[in-house]
Amino acid sequence: MAELTLVIGNKNYSSWSLRPWLLLKMLSIDFDEVRIALFTADSKAAISQHSPSGKVPVLKHGNVTVWDSLAICEYIAESHPKAWPQEVRARCVARSVSAEMHSGFPAVRQELPMNCRLQLDDYPLSEDVQNELQRLEAIWTDCRREFGAEGPFLFGRFSIADAMYAPMAIRCYSYAVDLGAEAAAYRDTLLALEPMREWMAAAEEEYSSIERNET
Ligand SMILES: N[C@@H](CCC(=O)N[C@@H](CS)C(=O)NCC(=O)O)C(=O)O
């Protein structure tokens, strides 16, 4: 049994769960996974056995319980400092864009929920969503240009900032969001990661394994 246990929701829908899950995978940290089906009559009770907030994800490590995706990523960074960029200015920007993702983008969250199994050719976007997507594109493009010289990620090497934006890559793909060349290349970098493919394949398989019996 691994020392760490990450409690997550459905891979198809739980964008918050994907973030620390991807970080652990990209850092090659061993962990056990407990997956709880969301939106069922039993979900609340099952989640509350693990989570003080009644939400997933939750990380358990010995007598430590950490909830909320960004707090979990920060906990992982305490023992893996390279989870954040090493240079102070890059690290400040990485923390800022991660916090912005965590607390912002309400229209995208509301109107373009993550659904890994969805792949539309075209989708009408409200003005609020368009404005937020412009901001998303600016973040991806600016970070890549200013800090991305040493690799394909926002700050070169993979960091917590990439984990925070991974669900946005899936949304852009699912809802056929038109992106400029640099942002599209970054989206594709995230989607091509081995753990992202593993997550998407598991999301595909969930329909028959944990969703079909939902109420
Ligand atoms: N801010 C939290 C959001 C967590 C959250 O909303 N999780 C959803 C699943 S993606 C959840 O647990 N929903 C179950 C419920 O509200 O009953 C985080 O970053 O972890």
Side-chain angles (χ1 to χ4, degrees):
M1 212 171 98
E3 275 187 26
L4 294 170
T5 300
L6 185 68
V7 184
I8 61 172
N10 303 44
K11 288 187 171 159
N12 195 54
Y13 304 118
S14 186
S15 58
W16 296 111
S17 299
L18 169 57
R19 294 169 167 118
W21 185 94
L22 180 62
L23 181 67
L24 288 167
K25 289 280 180 180
M26 291 299 288
L27 293 174
S28 300
I29 300 171
D30 193 26
F31 65 101
D32 290 327
E33 177 185 304
V34 172
R35 187 169 17 162
I36 295 175
L38 302 172
F39 318 122
T40 76
D42 303 328
S43 303
K44 269 265 172 263
I47 294 173
S48 63
Q49 284 183 11
H50 303 279
S51 170
S53 67
K55 306 253 184 226
V56 287
V58 180
L59 184 73
K60 300 205 241 181
H61 183 203
N63 64 359
V64 174
T65 298
V66 197
W67 61 96
D68 200 292
S69 56
L70 194 50
I72 296 170
C73 291
E74 287 286 11
Y75 180 70
I76 296 164
E78 292 206 26
S79 46
H80 294 79
K82 290 193 171 163
W84 287 115
Q86 297 302 284
E87 193 268 315
V88 67
R89 207 169 65 82
R91 194 162 60 248
C92 286
V93 176
R95 281 203 155 103
S96 297
V97 297
S98 297
E100 183 175 345
M101 178 66 251
H102 190 249
S103 61
F105 298 95
V108 168
R109 248 191 254 301
Q110 178 75 28
E111 297 175 41
L112 310 184
M114 188 175 94
N115 180 344
C116 298
R117 295 194 293 266
L118 192 69
Q119 192 194 359
L120 302 172
D121 292 332
D122 188 32
Y123 191 73
L125 303 175
S126 71
E127 198 180 323
D128 286 346
V129 167
Q130 287 181 44
N131 289 337
E132 289 182 8
L133 289 173
Q134 266 181 27
R135 174 66 189 145
L136 177 77
E137 183 155 0
I139 290 172
W140 285 2
T141 307
D142 293 351
C143 289
R144 288 283 308 129
R145 282 186 193 165
E146 189 164 359
F147 301 106
E150 286 174 19
F153 299 106
L154 291 178
F155 296 86
R157 282 187 309 103
F158 188 89
S159 76
I160 289 172
D162 302 293
M164 291 305 291
Y165 280 92
M168 285 300 215
I170 295 175
R171 288 178 164 110
C172 288
Y173 162 81
S174 292
Y175 295 95
V177 171
D178 209 13
L179 295 169
E182 288 164 291
Y186 173 65
R187 172 204 62 203
D188 292 345
T189 293
L190 289 179
L191 293 176
L193 292 173
E194 189 51 42
M196 287 288 273
R197 288 169 177 273
E198 187 189 328
W199 179 277
M200 301 285 272
E204 194 66 46
E205 184 272 336
E206 270 175 349
Y207 182 70
S208 47
S209 62
I210 65 174
E211 284 181 40
R212 218 174 37 187
N213 298 326
E214 282 175 15
T215 50

